[in-house]
Amino acid sequence: ERWLSGQMNGWVQLALSTPVVLGCGWPFFKRGWASIKNNALNMFTLIAIGTGAAFAYSTAAVFAPALFPQGFRMADGTVPVYFESAAVIILLVLLGQILELKARERTGSAIRALLDLAPETATRVRDGAEETVPLDEIAAGDILRVKAGGKVPVDGVISLGHSSVDESMLTGEPIPVEKSPDDEVTGGTLNTTGSFLMRAERVGAETMLARIVDMVASAQRSRAPAQQLADAVAGYFVPAVLAASLLAFIAWWAWGPDPALAYALVAAVSVLIIACPCALGLATPMSIMTATGCGAQAGVLYREASALEAFAQVDTLIVDKTGTLTQGKPVVGEIVCLGKHSENEVLGVAASLERGSEHPLARAILAYADKRNIETNVVEGFITHPGKGITGSVLGKDAAFGNEALMDATNIDISNITDQLSQLREGGNTVMMLAIADKLAGLIVVKDPVKGTARQALDKLRNQGLSVIMATGDDQRTAKAVAAELAIDEVHAGILPQDKAKLISSLQARGAKVAMAGDGINDAPALAQADVGIAMGTGADVAIESAGITLVKGDLNGIVRARKLSRAAMANIKQNLFFAFFYNAIGVPLAAGVLYPAFGLLLSPVFAAAAMSLSSVSVITNALRLRNVKL
Ligand code: ADP
Ligand code: MG
């Protein structure tokens, strides 16, 4: 009835399984040995010991069956072998690793999709002729033609023509944006209708796209705090499993049916394999990679995994006004002359000072001066006073331009214009004061409309239970007017950058989890102090560096998206930890044979290996589900 004698059967199995176990399994044994040597037990410890024991025992049984005591022998006196178990386990673990690699590639596909946004060539216009050149030959200052339906190759400014550009790949906003000369365009976005000429400004690693890719890549590599918990658990888990496996062996040996030792070995190996925490190592990184990739495609960039985790728990949102709630593209509305100074003089001195500033207000003043063909002068001793304004000496006269705090700091009396000031600030205008040679010389009124999406985004966040607070360096009356428009109740106006940070730490001291959204250099301390800093991608670099999350186009709906994604990701990680951990924990007693006394059921090691792989597959599949979150 048997076509191979027991003895022969063993030799054949040995010959067939050796290449699999020792060949394919070699990396596992190496890593298992390393884990023991470095005293850092992990999944490979369990796999190596489990399959190693099964294979070594079976080999010995083939070479020297006579050496084995009665406890190992079947009723017919033969010693059973477990080559196939060892081989199948190795193959299943290998399969799990391949699946993992594939899934990692898929979670990383967001980066590839981003990289693919940039076209490979651009059309350069030189001396009236057009030539197609590879993207890396484009330099700042080159004039490029972008045809209808073509991609914008690098970051720059439109010099000729009109078009509407689809920027959804960077902002998540589906509606194309109208562009005319002097408007900025971003590399990787899609030109829809018209053709235009643009001047390249940022190329290569400088482009917004390159920086986004950088940020996503580093976020995907970063570790979430939740991961530390998983690692700590794994640290105790592996020794516990080794102990459980040993216990199972002893129990079967002592009380098991014949062949007790063979059963003992099977149970011990099964316990090692089923409890293998390979899914535990996947649980958090898989979700993090998927979520950060997803965010990048919706205009939400995470600097690190901890921001993703922290934002899910935030209950208070502090928002800056200028550039965050407002468009940050302010325009000069009115110039009021005081004393004997002319409008052109006031504007000229203010613009000269602003040449050294990066503030959104500076851009407004400079653009207006440019429009009126006002010349600017060299400034000596230029100083920026964050949250207050700027000072310097123009044409030999000390000048100061900014708010009340600046006038106060430079000892300039403004008591005779207080009524005028509050009148001008009605409706949310920002009013700046210019002093020349220690005397008030004029006022410049700047209008900065509120972002179109701000009200809707804040309403959504409030509906989710977040409390929204405004913190601004601008004047109380201006701030109140903007706050009223956005239904913000709590306003802290006229505060300095460090006060924004202090406001946050005092809220934190009361147990609040605080997110701060801002765009300026003046917001950097607060962005760093907050549990989560949210920078506007349109704002200052320092702000972006200090924040955990960046909204590419500064659209506040990005905060709503970020929150949704953070919550989904954290829920996903919890589910993953469940799959990774409890699966195995439940498997251990089954593998040890608790069902045997009642039902005569003992798990085969192969089944244990299949269950283990299944937990990895569940984790991976579940993590990839995050890609379906509607943002
Ligand atoms: P916000 O907190 O709303 O972003 P800031 O803290 O940047 O505003 O600025 C607060 C106020 O300080 C401004 O409203 C303005 O009056 C003054 N200020 C700051 N920087 C400048 C500047 N470069 N030029 C003129 N005024 C400035
Ligand atoms: Mg600001």
Side-chain angles (χ1 to χ4, degrees), residues 320-324 354 357-362 365 382 384-390 401-404 406 425 430-433 471-475 495-497 500 519-523:
D320 161 57
K321 182 180 73 71
T322 318
T324 303
E354 293 289 19
S357 170
E358 273 190 64
H359 203 277
L361 290 168
I365 308 278
F382 175 81
T384 300
H385 308 262
K388 293 180 185 171
I390 46 185
F401 187 51
N403 59 8
E404 271 100 331
L406 186 71
R425 280 174 178 150
T430 295
V431 183
M432 288 163 287
M433 287 154 268
T472 173
D474 208 348
D475 164 80
I495 62 176
L496 294 174
K500 289 192 184 184
D519 71 313
I521 301 173
N522 61 324
D523 298 316

mmCIF file of all heavy atoms in Angstrom, residues 320-324 354 357-362 365 382 384-390 401-404 406 425 430-433 471-475 495-497 500 519-523, ligand 1:
data_model
loop_
_atom_site.group_PDB
_atom_site.id
_atom_site.type_symbol
_atom_site.label_atom_id
_atom_site.label_comp_id
_atom_site.label_asym_id
_atom_site.label_seq_id
_atom_site.Cartn_x
_atom_site.Cartn_y
_atom_site.Cartn_z
ATOM 1 N N ASP A 320 -4.173 82.347 12.887
ATOM 2 C CA ASP A 320 -3.603 83.657 12.637
ATOM 3 C C ASP A 320 -4.538 84.357 11.654
ATOM 4 O O ASP A 320 -5.331 83.710 10.977
ATOM 5 C CB ASP A 320 -2.207 83.408 12.044
ATOM 6 C CG ASP A 320 -1.675 84.602 11.309
ATOM 7 O OD1 ASP A 320 -1.583 85.661 11.937
ATOM 8 O OD2 ASP A 320 -1.353 84.472 10.119
ATOM 9 N N LYS A 321 -4.493 85.672 11.589
ATOM 10 C CA LYS A 321 -5.402 86.359 10.668
ATOM 11 C C LYS A 321 -4.781 86.585 9.295
ATOM 12 O O LYS A 321 -5.150 85.918 8.324
ATOM 13 C CB LYS A 321 -5.852 87.704 11.250
ATOM 14 C CG LYS A 321 -6.831 88.434 10.342
ATOM 15 C CD LYS A 321 -7.273 89.753 10.925
ATOM 16 C CE LYS A 321 -6.199 90.821 10.882
ATOM 17 N NZ LYS A 321 -5.908 91.323 9.526
ATOM 18 N N THR A 322 -3.790 87.499 9.265
ATOM 19 C CA THR A 322 -3.246 87.911 7.967
ATOM 20 C C THR A 322 -2.561 86.746 7.257
ATOM 21 O O THR A 322 -1.627 86.159 7.789
ATOM 22 C CB THR A 322 -2.226 89.047 8.165
ATOM 23 O OG1 THR A 322 -2.753 89.944 9.136
ATOM 24 C CG2 THR A 322 -1.962 89.761 6.875
ATOM 25 N N GLY A 323 -3.042 86.409 6.081
ATOM 26 C CA GLY A 323 -2.397 85.363 5.305
ATOM 27 C C GLY A 323 -2.910 83.972 5.606
ATOM 28 O O GLY A 323 -2.645 83.031 4.878
ATOM 29 N N THR A 324 -3.645 83.844 6.735
ATOM 30 C CA THR A 324 -4.192 82.535 7.070
ATOM 31 C C THR A 324 -5.701 82.544 6.859
ATOM 32 O O THR A 324 -6.234 81.764 6.081
ATOM 33 C CB THR A 324 -3.843 82.155 8.522
ATOM 34 O OG1 THR A 324 -2.428 82.192 8.667
ATOM 35 C CG2 THR A 324 -4.356 80.769 8.859
ATOM 36 N N GLU A 354 9.925 98.699 3.122
ATOM 37 C CA GLU A 354 9.344 97.377 2.900
ATOM 38 C C GLU A 354 10.174 96.505 1.964
ATOM 39 O O GLU A 354 9.970 95.303 1.900
ATOM 40 C CB GLU A 354 7.918 97.493 2.339
ATOM 41 C CG GLU A 354 6.896 98.090 3.297
ATOM 42 C CD GLU A 354 6.526 97.180 4.461
ATOM 43 O OE1 GLU A 354 7.285 96.236 4.774
ATOM 44 O OE2 GLU A 354 5.467 97.431 5.082
ATOM 45 N N SER A 357 11.444 93.567 3.656
ATOM 46 C CA SER A 357 10.528 92.734 4.435
ATOM 47 C C SER A 357 9.873 91.651 3.582
ATOM 48 O O SER A 357 9.667 91.829 2.386
ATOM 49 C CB SER A 357 9.443 93.615 5.066
ATOM 50 O OG SER A 357 8.431 92.814 5.619
ATOM 51 N N GLU A 358 9.543 90.527 4.228
ATOM 52 C CA GLU A 358 8.873 89.430 3.531
ATOM 53 C C GLU A 358 7.388 89.400 3.847
ATOM 54 O O GLU A 358 6.666 88.528 3.394
ATOM 55 C CB GLU A 358 9.458 88.091 3.990
ATOM 56 C CG GLU A 358 10.662 87.627 3.244
ATOM 57 C CD GLU A 358 10.978 86.200 3.624
ATOM 58 O OE1 GLU A 358 10.155 85.322 3.333
ATOM 59 O OE2 GLU A 358 12.034 85.972 4.241
ATOM 60 N N HIS A 359 6.942 90.320 4.698
ATOM 61 C CA HIS A 359 5.566 90.318 5.174
ATOM 62 C C HIS A 359 4.580 90.530 4.021
ATOM 63 O O HIS A 359 4.873 91.265 3.086
ATOM 64 C CB HIS A 359 5.416 91.432 6.214
ATOM 65 C CG HIS A 359 4.276 91.222 7.157
ATOM 66 N ND1 HIS A 359 2.994 91.575 6.815
ATOM 67 C CD2 HIS A 359 4.223 90.689 8.396
ATOM 68 C CE1 HIS A 359 2.190 91.275 7.830
ATOM 69 N NE2 HIS A 359 2.919 90.721 8.798
ATOM 70 N N PRO A 360 3.397 89.878 4.088
ATOM 71 C CA PRO A 360 2.395 90.080 3.039
ATOM 72 C C PRO A 360 2.057 91.561 2.856
ATOM 73 O O PRO A 360 1.793 92.013 1.739
ATOM 74 C CB PRO A 360 1.172 89.322 3.546
ATOM 75 C CG PRO A 360 1.665 88.357 4.552
ATOM 76 C CD PRO A 360 2.966 88.867 5.069
ATOM 77 N N LEU A 361 2.090 92.317 3.943
ATOM 78 C CA LEU A 361 1.790 93.743 3.842
ATOM 79 C C LEU A 361 2.844 94.466 3.005
ATOM 80 O O LEU A 361 2.543 95.427 2.302
ATOM 81 C CB LEU A 361 1.713 94.367 5.240
ATOM 82 C CG LEU A 361 0.499 93.955 6.086
ATOM 83 C CD1 LEU A 361 0.682 94.387 7.532
ATOM 84 C CD2 LEU A 361 -0.774 94.549 5.502
ATOM 85 N N ALA A 362 4.079 93.958 3.082
ATOM 86 C CA ALA A 362 5.167 94.572 2.326
ATOM 87 C C ALA A 362 4.897 94.472 0.832
ATOM 88 O O ALA A 362 5.092 95.425 0.080
ATOM 89 C CB ALA A 362 6.490 93.891 2.675
ATOM 90 N N ILE A 365 2.411 97.109 -0.333
ATOM 91 C CA ILE A 365 2.964 98.456 -0.429
ATOM 92 C C ILE A 365 3.849 98.580 -1.667
ATOM 93 O O ILE A 365 3.765 99.544 -2.426
ATOM 94 C CB ILE A 365 3.804 98.776 0.838
ATOM 95 C CG1 ILE A 365 3.011 98.498 2.113
ATOM 96 C CG2 ILE A 365 4.364 100.190 0.777
ATOM 97 C CD1 ILE A 365 2.075 99.553 2.537
ATOM 98 N N PHE A 382 18.317 98.863 8.626
ATOM 99 C CA PHE A 382 16.978 98.276 8.566
ATOM 100 C C PHE A 382 16.778 97.216 9.657
ATOM 101 O O PHE A 382 17.618 96.366 9.873
ATOM 102 C CB PHE A 382 16.773 97.632 7.189
ATOM 103 C CG PHE A 382 15.475 96.905 7.063
ATOM 104 C CD1 PHE A 382 14.305 97.597 6.797
ATOM 105 C CD2 PHE A 382 15.423 95.525 7.224
ATOM 106 C CE1 PHE A 382 13.113 96.936 6.689
ATOM 107 C CE2 PHE A 382 14.223 94.848 7.117
ATOM 108 C CZ PHE A 382 13.075 95.558 6.848
ATOM 109 N N THR A 384 13.643 94.559 11.327
ATOM 110 C CA THR A 384 12.276 94.043 11.362
ATOM 111 C C THR A 384 11.882 93.832 12.808
ATOM 112 O O THR A 384 12.633 93.237 13.579
ATOM 113 C CB THR A 384 12.195 92.687 10.628
ATOM 114 O OG1 THR A 384 12.596 92.889 9.281
ATOM 115 C CG2 THR A 384 10.787 92.126 10.653
ATOM 116 N N HIS A 385 10.715 94.319 13.191
ATOM 117 C CA HIS A 385 10.200 94.065 14.538
ATOM 118 C C HIS A 385 8.988 93.159 14.385
ATOM 119 O O HIS A 385 7.896 93.662 14.097
ATOM 120 C CB HIS A 385 9.795 95.381 15.213
ATOM 121 C CG HIS A 385 10.869 96.421 15.175
ATOM 122 N ND1 HIS A 385 11.714 96.645 16.231
ATOM 123 C CD2 HIS A 385 11.259 97.284 14.198
ATOM 124 C CE1 HIS A 385 12.568 97.609 15.916
ATOM 125 N NE2 HIS A 385 12.311 98.007 14.676
ATOM 126 N N PRO A 386 9.163 91.844 14.542
ATOM 127 C CA PRO A 386 8.059 90.925 14.247
ATOM 128 C C PRO A 386 6.803 91.284 15.033
ATOM 129 O O PRO A 386 6.869 91.579 16.226
ATOM 130 C CB PRO A 386 8.609 89.563 14.687
ATOM 131 C CG PRO A 386 10.089 89.717 14.609
ATOM 132 C CD PRO A 386 10.362 91.144 14.984
ATOM 133 N N GLY A 387 5.671 91.322 14.326
ATOM 134 C CA GLY A 387 4.409 91.644 14.970
ATOM 135 C C GLY A 387 4.203 93.133 15.183
ATOM 136 O O GLY A 387 3.166 93.553 15.691
ATOM 137 N N LYS A 388 5.196 93.941 14.817
ATOM 138 C CA LYS A 388 5.069 95.386 15.032
ATOM 139 C C LYS A 388 5.271 96.180 13.744
ATOM 140 O O LYS A 388 4.468 97.023 13.398
ATOM 141 C CB LYS A 388 6.108 95.861 16.052
ATOM 142 C CG LYS A 388 5.892 95.330 17.465
ATOM 143 C CD LYS A 388 6.978 95.876 18.367
ATOM 144 C CE LYS A 388 6.888 95.276 19.761
ATOM 145 N NZ LYS A 388 8.070 95.636 20.559
ATOM 146 N N GLY A 389 6.336 95.898 13.028
ATOM 147 C CA GLY A 389 6.617 96.652 11.815
ATOM 148 C C GLY A 389 8.104 96.704 11.520
ATOM 149 O O GLY A 389 8.840 95.786 11.889
ATOM 150 N N ILE A 390 8.508 97.799 10.863
ATOM 151 C CA ILE A 390 9.896 97.895 10.436
ATOM 152 C C ILE A 390 10.430 99.300 10.672
ATOM 153 O O ILE A 390 9.682 100.274 10.657
ATOM 154 C CB ILE A 390 10.028 97.545 8.932
ATOM 155 C CG1 ILE A 390 8.939 98.267 8.137
ATOM 156 C CG2 ILE A 390 9.909 96.045 8.720
ATOM 157 C CD1 ILE A 390 8.878 97.913 6.686
ATOM 158 N N PHE A 401 7.621 102.231 10.379
ATOM 159 C CA PHE A 401 6.371 101.926 9.689
ATOM 160 C C PHE A 401 5.772 100.664 10.298
ATOM 161 O O PHE A 401 6.383 99.605 10.284
ATOM 162 C CB PHE A 401 6.667 101.716 8.197
ATOM 163 C CG PHE A 401 5.434 101.551 7.362
ATOM 164 C CD1 PHE A 401 4.377 102.454 7.437
ATOM 165 C CD2 PHE A 401 5.321 100.479 6.481
ATOM 166 C CE1 PHE A 401 3.238 102.296 6.658
ATOM 167 C CE2 PHE A 401 4.192 100.313 5.693
ATOM 168 C CZ PHE A 401 3.147 101.224 5.779
ATOM 169 N N GLY A 402 4.567 100.814 10.872
ATOM 170 C CA GLY A 402 3.965 99.640 11.508
ATOM 171 C C GLY A 402 2.754 100.015 12.335
ATOM 172 O O GLY A 402 2.076 100.999 12.045
ATOM 173 N N ASN A 403 2.509 99.243 13.391
ATOM 174 C CA ASN A 403 1.293 99.427 14.177
ATOM 175 C C ASN A 403 1.552 100.226 15.463
ATOM 176 O O ASN A 403 2.651 100.754 15.662
ATOM 177 C CB ASN A 403 0.664 98.068 14.485
ATOM 178 C CG ASN A 403 1.609 97.158 15.252
ATOM 179 O OD1 ASN A 403 2.675 97.588 15.684
ATOM 180 N ND2 ASN A 403 1.207 95.906 15.406
ATOM 181 N N GLU A 404 0.548 100.285 16.320
ATOM 182 C CA GLU A 404 0.660 101.039 17.572
ATOM 183 C C GLU A 404 1.854 100.602 18.408
ATOM 184 O O GLU A 404 2.548 101.417 18.999
ATOM 185 C CB GLU A 404 -0.605 100.865 18.425
ATOM 186 C CG GLU A 404 -1.676 101.875 18.143
ATOM 187 C CD GLU A 404 -2.756 101.301 17.249
ATOM 188 O OE1 GLU A 404 -2.421 100.399 16.439
ATOM 189 O OE2 GLU A 404 -3.911 101.742 17.351
ATOM 190 N N LEU A 406 4.624 99.511 17.509
ATOM 191 C CA LEU A 406 5.877 100.055 16.979
ATOM 192 C C LEU A 406 6.004 101.541 17.325
ATOM 193 O O LEU A 406 7.074 102.017 17.708
ATOM 194 C CB LEU A 406 5.939 99.857 15.466
ATOM 195 C CG LEU A 406 7.270 100.267 14.835
ATOM 196 C CD1 LEU A 406 8.361 99.276 15.215
ATOM 197 C CD2 LEU A 406 7.162 100.378 13.336
ATOM 198 N N ARG A 425 -10.354 101.543 10.405
ATOM 199 C CA ARG A 425 -10.268 100.097 10.619
ATOM 200 C C ARG A 425 -11.621 99.402 10.537
ATOM 201 O O ARG A 425 -11.693 98.171 10.517
ATOM 202 C CB ARG A 425 -9.637 99.815 11.983
ATOM 203 C CG ARG A 425 -8.142 99.956 11.903
ATOM 204 C CD ARG A 425 -7.488 99.838 13.239
ATOM 205 N NE ARG A 425 -6.047 99.933 13.075
ATOM 206 C CZ ARG A 425 -5.230 100.411 13.983
ATOM 207 N NH1 ARG A 425 -5.701 100.841 15.141
ATOM 208 N NH2 ARG A 425 -3.939 100.454 13.751
ATOM 209 N N THR A 430 -6.567 96.964 7.554
ATOM 210 C CA THR A 430 -5.370 97.124 8.368
ATOM 211 C C THR A 430 -4.811 98.521 8.109
ATOM 212 O O THR A 430 -4.678 98.931 6.957
ATOM 213 C CB THR A 430 -4.322 96.064 8.002
ATOM 214 O OG1 THR A 430 -4.833 94.787 8.336
ATOM 215 C CG2 THR A 430 -3.024 96.283 8.755
ATOM 216 N N VAL A 431 -4.524 99.235 9.181
ATOM 217 C CA VAL A 431 -3.967 100.577 9.017
ATOM 218 C C VAL A 431 -2.573 100.610 9.616
ATOM 219 O O VAL A 431 -2.367 100.212 10.756
ATOM 220 C CB VAL A 431 -4.848 101.641 9.715
ATOM 221 C CG1 VAL A 431 -4.285 103.034 9.455
ATOM 222 C CG2 VAL A 431 -6.278 101.538 9.234
ATOM 223 N N MET A 432 -1.612 101.058 8.814
ATOM 224 C CA MET A 432 -0.243 101.175 9.310
ATOM 225 C C MET A 432 0.153 102.642 9.380
ATOM 226 O O MET A 432 -0.299 103.451 8.577
ATOM 227 C CB MET A 432 0.713 100.425 8.390
ATOM 228 C CG MET A 432 0.569 98.928 8.534
ATOM 229 S SD MET A 432 1.311 98.081 7.149
ATOM 230 C CE MET A 432 0.136 98.424 5.895
ATOM 231 N N MET A 433 0.986 102.933 10.356
ATOM 232 C CA MET A 433 1.400 104.321 10.553
ATOM 233 C C MET A 433 2.846 104.500 10.136
ATOM 234 O O MET A 433 3.676 103.635 10.396
ATOM 235 C CB MET A 433 1.269 104.678 12.031
ATOM 236 C CG MET A 433 -0.173 104.839 12.458
ATOM 237 S SD MET A 433 -0.348 104.500 14.215
ATOM 238 C CE MET A 433 -0.744 102.778 14.165
ATOM 239 N N ALA A 471 -5.735 84.555 16.805
ATOM 240 C CA ALA A 471 -4.622 85.250 17.443
ATOM 241 C C ALA A 471 -3.900 86.035 16.369
ATOM 242 O O ALA A 471 -3.410 85.463 15.400
ATOM 243 C CB ALA A 471 -3.673 84.249 18.093
ATOM 244 N N THR A 472 -3.857 87.347 16.531
ATOM 245 C CA THR A 472 -3.243 88.159 15.474
ATOM 246 C C THR A 472 -2.440 89.317 16.046
ATOM 247 O O THR A 472 -2.738 89.817 17.134
ATOM 248 C CB THR A 472 -4.321 88.713 14.508
ATOM 249 O OG1 THR A 472 -3.702 89.619 13.609
ATOM 250 C CG2 THR A 472 -5.422 89.434 15.261
ATOM 251 N N GLY A 473 -1.448 89.718 15.292
ATOM 252 C CA GLY A 473 -0.649 90.875 15.682
ATOM 253 C C GLY A 473 -1.306 92.169 15.249
ATOM 254 O O GLY A 473 -0.880 93.252 15.619
ATOM 255 N N ASP A 474 -2.363 92.037 14.463
ATOM 256 C CA ASP A 474 -3.053 93.220 13.973
ATOM 257 C C ASP A 474 -3.934 93.818 15.072
ATOM 258 O O ASP A 474 -4.153 93.206 16.115
ATOM 259 C CB ASP A 474 -3.892 92.830 12.741
ATOM 260 C CG ASP A 474 -4.063 94.001 11.794
ATOM 261 O OD1 ASP A 474 -3.732 95.130 12.196
ATOM 262 O OD2 ASP A 474 -4.545 93.780 10.668
ATOM 263 N N ASP A 475 -4.449 94.974 14.778
ATOM 264 C CA ASP A 475 -5.227 95.730 15.752
ATOM 265 C C ASP A 475 -6.563 95.075 16.110
ATOM 266 O O ASP A 475 -7.169 94.376 15.289
ATOM 267 C CB ASP A 475 -5.476 97.111 15.145
ATOM 268 C CG ASP A 475 -6.570 97.832 15.858
ATOM 269 O OD1 ASP A 475 -6.274 98.382 16.923
ATOM 270 O OD2 ASP A 475 -7.706 97.800 15.357
ATOM 271 N N ILE A 495 -1.197 91.060 19.549
ATOM 272 C CA ILE A 495 -0.227 90.305 20.350
ATOM 273 C C ILE A 495 1.025 89.986 19.541
ATOM 274 O O ILE A 495 0.995 89.857 18.324
ATOM 275 C CB ILE A 495 -0.841 89.012 20.942
ATOM 276 C CG1 ILE A 495 -1.288 88.056 19.844
ATOM 277 C CG2 ILE A 495 -1.997 89.346 21.862
ATOM 278 C CD1 ILE A 495 -1.794 86.743 20.404
ATOM 279 N N LEU A 496 2.115 89.853 20.271
ATOM 280 C CA LEU A 496 3.413 89.617 19.642
ATOM 281 C C LEU A 496 3.599 88.117 19.399
ATOM 282 O O LEU A 496 2.903 87.296 19.987
ATOM 283 C CB LEU A 496 4.515 90.133 20.571
ATOM 284 C CG LEU A 496 4.504 91.646 20.751
ATOM 285 C CD1 LEU A 496 5.525 92.058 21.808
ATOM 286 C CD2 LEU A 496 4.800 92.329 19.427
ATOM 287 N N PRO A 497 4.565 87.793 18.508
ATOM 288 C CA PRO A 497 4.794 86.376 18.192
ATOM 289 C C PRO A 497 4.938 85.486 19.423
ATOM 290 O O PRO A 497 4.348 84.414 19.497
ATOM 291 C CB PRO A 497 6.090 86.414 17.380
ATOM 292 C CG PRO A 497 6.081 87.756 16.730
ATOM 293 C CD PRO A 497 5.388 88.674 17.687
ATOM 294 N N LYS A 500 1.686 84.655 21.077
ATOM 295 C CA LYS A 500 0.905 83.606 20.425
ATOM 296 C C LYS A 500 1.319 82.249 20.993
ATOM 297 O O LYS A 500 0.493 81.398 21.288
ATOM 298 C CB LYS A 500 1.148 83.618 18.910
ATOM 299 C CG LYS A 500 0.527 84.803 18.183
ATOM 300 C CD LYS A 500 0.553 84.590 16.678
ATOM 301 C CE LYS A 500 0.009 85.817 15.937
ATOM 302 N NZ LYS A 500 -0.074 85.631 14.489
ATOM 303 N N ASP A 519 0.929 81.502 8.913
ATOM 304 C CA ASP A 519 1.667 81.589 7.654
ATOM 305 C C ASP A 519 2.969 82.359 7.753
ATOM 306 O O ASP A 519 3.809 82.268 6.880
ATOM 307 C CB ASP A 519 0.803 82.289 6.604
ATOM 308 C CG ASP A 519 0.656 83.766 6.926
ATOM 309 O OD1 ASP A 519 0.364 84.072 8.105
ATOM 310 O OD2 ASP A 519 0.847 84.596 6.030
ATOM 311 N N GLY A 520 3.141 83.123 8.820
ATOM 312 C CA GLY A 520 4.245 84.073 8.809
ATOM 313 C C GLY A 520 5.409 83.690 9.701
ATOM 314 O O GLY A 520 5.349 82.746 10.481
ATOM 315 N N ILE A 521 6.489 84.479 9.557
ATOM 316 C CA ILE A 521 7.642 84.329 10.436
ATOM 317 C C ILE A 521 7.188 84.532 11.874
ATOM 318 O O ILE A 521 7.638 83.867 12.796
ATOM 319 C CB ILE A 521 8.713 85.392 10.086
ATOM 320 C CG1 ILE A 521 9.134 85.216 8.628
ATOM 321 C CG2 ILE A 521 9.907 85.300 10.998
ATOM 322 C CD1 ILE A 521 10.045 86.315 8.130
ATOM 323 N N ASN A 522 6.227 85.478 12.031
ATOM 324 C CA ASN A 522 5.732 85.792 13.370
ATOM 325 C C ASN A 522 4.939 84.639 13.986
ATOM 326 O O ASN A 522 4.686 84.623 15.175
ATOM 327 C CB ASN A 522 4.864 87.055 13.324
ATOM 328 C CG ASN A 522 3.659 86.879 12.423
ATOM 329 O OD1 ASN A 522 3.737 86.217 11.397
ATOM 330 N ND2 ASN A 522 2.537 87.450 12.812
ATOM 331 N N ASP A 523 4.542 83.657 13.157
ATOM 332 C CA ASP A 523 3.780 82.523 13.679
ATOM 333 C C ASP A 523 4.670 81.337 14.047
ATOM 334 O O ASP A 523 4.218 80.388 14.686
ATOM 335 C CB ASP A 523 2.751 82.046 12.647
ATOM 336 C CG ASP A 523 1.735 83.121 12.324
ATOM 337 O OD1 ASP A 523 1.258 83.768 13.280
ATOM 338 O OD2 ASP A 523 1.434 83.318 11.139
HETATM 339 P P1 ADP B 1 -0.810 88.568 11.834
HETATM 340 O O1 ADP B 1 -0.612 88.022 13.193
HETATM 341 O O2 ADP B 1 -2.240 88.945 11.586
HETATM 342 O O3 ADP B 1 -0.277 87.667 10.747
HETATM 343 P P2 ADP B 1 1.581 90.199 12.120
HETATM 344 O O4 ADP B 1 1.874 89.751 13.507
HETATM 345 O O5 ADP B 1 2.461 89.714 11.038
HETATM 346 O O6 ADP B 1 0.031 89.955 11.738
HETATM 347 O O7 ADP B 1 1.638 91.783 12.086
HETATM 348 C C1 ADP B 1 0.944 92.564 13.045
HETATM 349 C C2 ADP B 1 0.955 94.013 12.648
HETATM 350 O O8 ADP B 1 2.276 94.553 12.680
HETATM 351 C C3 ADP B 1 0.466 94.244 11.227
HETATM 352 O O9 ADP B 1 -0.916 94.351 11.162
HETATM 353 C C4 ADP B 1 1.167 95.576 10.889
HETATM 354 O O10 ADP B 1 0.438 96.653 11.399
HETATM 355 C C5 ADP B 1 2.477 95.479 11.627
HETATM 356 N N1 ADP B 1 3.532 94.972 10.744
HETATM 357 C C6 ADP B 1 4.175 93.784 10.816
HETATM 358 N N2 ADP B 1 5.084 93.652 9.847
HETATM 359 C C7 ADP B 1 5.010 94.787 9.101
HETATM 360 C C8 ADP B 1 5.684 95.258 7.939
HETATM 361 N N3 ADP B 1 6.636 94.569 7.313
HETATM 362 N N4 ADP B 1 5.325 96.465 7.460
HETATM 363 C C9 ADP B 1 4.376 97.181 8.068
HETATM 364 N N5 ADP B 1 3.717 96.795 9.158
HETATM 365 C C10 ADP B 1 4.006 95.616 9.681
#
